[in-house]
Every structure is written in structure tokens, then in C-alpha cells.
Amino acid sequence: MDFHLASGNRNRWRSGLLCATTVCILLQTGNCSPQQQGIGSLDVNAFFNPPNSQSPYYPPQNFYINGAHEVLKSRVDVSENIHFPAQETNQPQHQPDPLPSRNQPLSATAQRGQLQAFRQQTDRPNGAGGSGALKFAWSMLKAVLLPQSGNSVICPILPQTLLASLNDVASPQARRELQSALFASPDELKPLIQTQLKAVNRSSENLLDYAMTYITGKDLTINREVREKAMQDGVEFQNVDFRNAQAAAATANQWVSTKTRGVIREILSPVSLDGSTRLVMASVIYFKGKWKYQFTQTKNEPFFARPNQSPVQVPMMYQFNKFRTGEIALPGNDGIRWLELPYEGTNGLSMVVMLPQAPYQLERSINQMGEAHLNEIMEDINVPRAVTKVHLRLPRFEVYSSVTLVPTLKNLGLREIFLNNQALRGLSNEPLVVDDVTQRTFISVDEEGTTATSAASLSFVALSAAPPPVTINFTVDQPFVVMIVDKINRYPMFVAKVELPA
């Protein structure tokens, strides 16, 4: 499957944070080579230099192998005449290695004193869907993002819900595997996006959209009950002749471009389609949000990406405000500091930045964290008010990723739908099998806020056979993780790892 993500003609730095993701499940007649799937046969230059883009996209190496890559460069000149307020603590000058701390940690005792009362008020277990979404997102972070070299980002809820939609047509064994690998049933997952749509769209400052389509081949008949239920859920149906690869791909690409407002311009390549293709299921998420508290200054500052290397100058945004923030203590003197950035006009979504206490130990620290730690953060960001004054420095960044999810899904125990042509026998008049699940995701963070869009597709072919506030510094000048989190259902909607802001 070939996916294309690009910007339209607009000022990107007035759009905040942008996330885009695509997921593809490919089913074919018999075994097919990677070339038949469109893997390794892309025009990379055309892919990463789309029309209307005001600066080039940089092609990744091993596009389908490594999965997640940094592909964008900063597009705005930064004034050299802007000066930040002095740090409140006396800090040594930056040196490449070891990384000097520009952060003033909040003691564990102080955190407990500030948050204990609020946790008692807000502590409640996640619903089954929220808990399952949190588990799946945390699994994807550790299995997909952390092993990647460079920047990477995914939207776990999109492939999770798209795969869960196969539950009703799956064989008993495949159904057990789907629920086990996805940690939730479709009925548990379905309300998550719907409740968030209502919460975010109450505000004129933010926009969250979700859409799904079935693009069927001319000879494929979808099970009547499946079709009726999908239509009740707002799924759009389109019919194409996959033997005319150019026209079929154009239909899919026009749909995704419209739904993502031109951010994702291509979800299918003609080279990925042939006479055995039967069905493409696609879904998109688009989010645009404005920060509740605006960044006030931006200037180039050093970012320490790797030990024993000189720092890289990046556009560093600054603001001073009250934020929810805390620390997670981990074994071996490791730990994670986190901070929440809320959006204007909604309590539904916010962004959480996670920074390791030990320099350059992001992967080790995240791997030591468990679901209980993530649940603790979800509780703390729901406290009634922010209790810490923070000098926040956060780099402006954009991240694009392309990744196949099949190895991870198989490691989670999902195998029947990839191997058994009877596993999805209730879907259509032909036996179908999943051949590939791929995702592309884009995220952009700037001074104004967040714009995020995500698209996912599944392609099918026939297969024969309270205390007083303290003031701290939170300077993000080394590799970090960010999450766009659903505060209502308490799970990460988007997750990104940034090794070097671009």
C-alpha cells in the first residue's frame, strides 16, 4: 500500500499540532510478493515532494522496514532578537556531554502533597474501552515507536478500532485473538471516539473529525448485516473496479484528501492494486486545537539529541504559566518528568510531554514504566486545577512516520486473520485474508496549538485457500515523548517519540 501525506496551501504555523495516520490491511489471492503489495516500488521523490508543498519532504531510508522517520524541516525563520527570561536557578553552561539539567525537579514529597487530595476526588477506574485503548497504545509505544531510529509517531486508536470492526465477522478463534490482541471489543471501543467528538466540538476553537469508508470491488458482495450495521455507524460505501488501478486509487485518494483537508493526499497507489484486490476499509481522524496558554517567545536554543555529540540549534518556544506536572520514580535512579499542555475550550483532549530524568535515557525509562504509571498520569491530569508554576521551554517540531504493524500484531497473538482464509468468512461472498497492516502518521507542534489528522485503511483481496504553588523549570532539550490524550476515557490517542526536533 502507498500512502501520501502532504500539506496544502496554508500557513502551517497557524495550525498548531498536526497528526496524520493511515492503516492498511491487504488481502490477496494466494501468496504475493512485496512488489505486488506496492512495497519497495514507490516513487519516493514524488511521494515526499507533494504538490503545493512550500518546502521539500525528505525521503526516509528503508521506507517499509524502519517505519518511522523524520522527514520535515523547519519552515519559519526565528528571530535572533528574542530573549528568554533568566532561569530561576543558577545553571552551568550547556556542554554536549554530560547533559546539564535545566530542569528543577519537583520532589516526590511535594508532588504527593499537591496531588493526593485531588486523586481522591478524581480516582476512578477506566471503562473497559478506555482501559483497552490505554493498554493497546502503551503496547504500540513500546513495540513500535521505541525501537525505531529517529523520530516516530502513531495513532494507536485508529488501527485498533478498524481491526476491532472485524470482530463480528470473525471465526471463533479469530475473534478470541482480536479481543486478546486489541485488549477490547468493538462495543467497548466504539464510544471512545464518539464521546470525544462531542466534547471537543463544543468549542469553536477546536475541531475533531472522524470518518470511515468501505471501497469495494465490483464483484464483491458485503454481508447484508455487516453493510447495514456499518451504514448505521456512518460508514460510506464506494464501488470501484480494482482492475482499473488508476481509477480505483484516485477514488480512495480523493476521499482521504477531502476528509483530512488535504493533509493526507494519498492512501493508495495504483501499483499496490491488482485483480485480486477486493476491499479497502479506510478511516481518518483529524484534530485541530489551540493552546489554552499561548507560547510568548521563540528563539534558537541547543537541543542535546545524543551523548558525545554537539547540541543542535532548534526553535525553542517559551511560556510561563501554571501547569499540571509531576514525576514518576523508576528503579535505578531513573524517572520520568511529565507536563500537560491543555487546549482552549475543552477538557477532552490535552498534550502530555514526558522527559527522562537521566540524560539520554528515554527508551530505558519508558520501558521501565508500566500501565499503572500511565494510569497515574491520567489521574493527575484530571485534577481540578494546575498547582505548579512552570518556565516551559518546548521545541517546535514536526514528525512523520510510516510503519507496518503486522509483526507487532502477530507478536500480540493476532494470527488467524493473516493466515486462515476462513477467519473472516462472514465478511463477504469470498474468503478474505489480511496481508498487511500499515500506518502513516504526522504530527506538528507550534506556538499556536495543535492540528492533527489521521487516516487508516484496510485493503482486502480474495485468498484461495493543594499546597501553595512552587515554580520549576521544564526545559525539553533532549529526546522526549509526547501524547495527545483523551482525558474523558483516559487513554493516549496520538503518541510520538522525538529524538531531534525538525
Side-chain angles (χ1 to χ4, degrees):
M1 280 300 172
D2 178 6
F3 298 79
H4 195 164
L5 181 146
S7 64
N9 284 326
R10 68 179 189 275
N11 185 340
R12 297 182 60 84
W13 298 114
R14 296 299 175 190
S15 62
L17 179 149
L18 171 66
C19 297
T21 180
T22 66
V23 178
C24 168
I25 299 181
L26 181 66
L27 291 84
Q28 290 187 333
T29 302
N31 296 324
C32 61
S33 66
Q35 287 71 28
Q36 288 175 298
Q37 299 175 32
I39 298 175
S41 57
L42 305 179
D43 183 349
V44 177
N45 290 326
F47 185 94
F48 286 98
N49 291 279
N52 301 325
S53 179
Q54 298 179 359
S55 69
Y57 281 53
Y58 297 87
Q61 300 297 317
N62 299 324
F63 185 70
Y64 276 84
I65 304 301
N66 292 333
H69 304 273
E70 169 198 348
V71 296
L72 300 176
K73 298 295 182 183
S74 175
R75 299 175 180 174
V76 174
D77 294 330
V78 180
S79 172
E80 297 295 337
N81 299 319
I82 298 176
H83 300 283
F84 287 155
Q87 298 277 2
E88 293 208 350
T89 57
N90 237 347
Q91 301 291 347
Q93 294 297 312
H94 279 284
Q95 298 296 329
D97 187 35
L99 176 66
S101 174
R102 301 181 64 193
N103 298 303
Q104 180 180 343
L106 185 63
S107 71
T109 301
Q111 290 181 68
R112 284 193 294 271
Q114 291 180 355
L115 296 174
Q116 185 174 9
F118 297 129
R119 285 184 184 165
Q120 291 173 355
Q121 297 173 22
T122 62
D123 188 17
R124 59 172 175 83
N126 290 348
S131 177
L134 182 144
K135 290 179 180 179
F136 187 77
W138 199 240
S139 298
M140 293 297 103
L141 170 61
K142 289 189 174 183
V144 178
L145 293 193
L146 291 186
Q148 299 295 331
S149 175
N151 300 341
S152 51
V153 57
I154 58 174
C155 175
I157 190 64
L158 211 56
Q160 187 183 23
T161 54
L162 205 55
L163 287 165
S165 69
L166 301 175
N167 185 80
D168 290 345
V169 300
S171 67
Q173 177 60 27
R175 187 178 299 116
R176 285 191 292 270
E177 291 182 359
L178 282 166
Q179 295 195 16
S180 175
L182 302 178
F183 302 104
S185 69
D187 290 338
E188 293 166 343
L189 293 170
K190 181 179 176 180
L192 301 187
I193 294 177
Q194 297 303 319
T195 56
Q196 194 54 247
L197 285 169
K198 294 178 181 178
V200 172
N201 293 330
R202 290 193 187 103
S203 168
S204 61
E205 300 287 348
N206 309 295
L207 178 63
L208 179 67
D209 276 349
Y210 171 79
M212 185 173 178
T213 187
Y214 286 13
I215 303 174
T216 62
K218 59 180 299 185
D219 298 324
L220 186 76
T221 302
I222 297 293
N223 178 290
R224 182 174 60 86
E225 293 182 0
V226 173
R227 185 182 184 92
E228 290 177 353
K229 182 177 180 180
M231 294 181 68
Q232 291 174 2
D233 291 339
V235 176
E236 304 172 33
F237 281 82
Q238 305 178 73
N239 188 258
V240 300
D241 184 352
F242 285 112
R243 290 171 294 187
N244 186 341
Q246 293 285 347
T251 298
N253 296 336
Q254 178 60 44
W255 181 85
V256 76
S257 179
T258 300
K259 297 301 182 182
T260 62
R261 295 156 175 79
V263 175
I264 298 178
R265 304 289 292 275
E266 187 172 306
I267 197 172
L268 286 179
S269 169
V271 300
S272 66
L273 304 176
D274 58 30
S276 65
T277 306
R278 293 294 184 269
L279 170 67
V280 173
M281 297 167 61
S283 60
V284 302
I285 290 178
Y286 177 90
F287 171 62
K288 182 174 183 177
K290 181 181 179 182
W291 299 127
K292 184 174 183 178
Y293 309 118
Q294 296 294 298
F295 288 92
T296 57
Q297 297 174 329
T298 301
K299 65 175 290 189
N300 283 342
E301 289 239 320
F303 187 90
F304 297 83
R306 294 177 180 86
N308 304 315
Q309 292 187 10
S310 298
V312 179
Q313 295 293 314
V314 302
M316 191 74 75
M317 307 179 295
Y318 169 83
Q319 64 169 293
F320 176 67
N321 260 305
K322 287 184 178 181
F323 293 101
R324 297 179 180 93
T325 184
E327 298 175 11
I328 301 292
L330 299 170
N333 296 320
D334 283 341
I336 287 287
R337 303 182 69 221
W338 62 266
L339 178 140
E340 181 209 18
L341 283 85
Y343 295 108
E344 182 68 50
T346 179
N347 291 322
L349 290 176
S350 64
M351 190 173 85
V352 173
V353 184
M354 295 195 294
L355 192 66
Q357 291 275 37
Y360 312 114
Q361 298 302 320
L362 178 65
E363 182 173 352
R364 187 178 73 182
S365 298
I366 294 294
N367 275 323
Q368 290 187 73
M369 288 181 62
E371 294 169 19
H373 295 119
L374 189 56
N375 271 312
E376 182 179 318
I377 294 176
M378 295 298 162
E379 293 172 8
D380 291 348
I381 64 175
N382 279 282
V383 299
R385 61 185 177 86
V387 294
T388 306
K389 293 181 179 179
V390 182
H391 289 286
L392 172 63
R393 287 169 171 83
L394 177 71
R396 179 200 300 156
F397 65 90
E398 293 185 343
V399 179
Y400 172 78
S401 292
S402 171
V403 61
T404 178
L405 300 178
V406 173
T408 300
L409 293 170
K410 287 184 175 180
N411 287 337
L412 289 173
L414 188 56
R415 296 180 175 273
E416 280 287 293
I417 64 172
F418 298 105
L419 303 175
N420 187 348
N421 68 343
Q422 298 299 309
L424 301 174
R425 200 64 185 90
L427 180 59
S428 68
N429 62 325
E430 294 187 69
L432 304 177
V433 66
V434 175
D435 184 75
D436 199 12
V437 181
T438 58
Q439 183 170 29
R440 286 116 180 100
T441 306
F442 177 74
I443 183 171
S444 168
V445 171
D446 67 12
E447 292 86 344
E448 297 294 325
T450 296
T451 304
T453 182
S454 175
S457 71
L458 289 71
S459 304
F460 296 82
V461 299
L463 177 72
S464 59
V470 297
T471 300
I472 66 171
N473 298 318
F474 196 100
T475 300
V476 185
D477 57 0
Q478 60 173 299
F480 59 98
V481 164
V482 297
M483 303 184 297
I484 308 282
V485 299
D486 179 335
K487 297 178 65 174
I488 298 173
N489 299 294
R490 301 190 179 188
Y491 74 93
M493 182 176 285
F494 290 87
V495 184
K497 178 190 69 170
V498 182
E499 291 189 359
L500 180 61

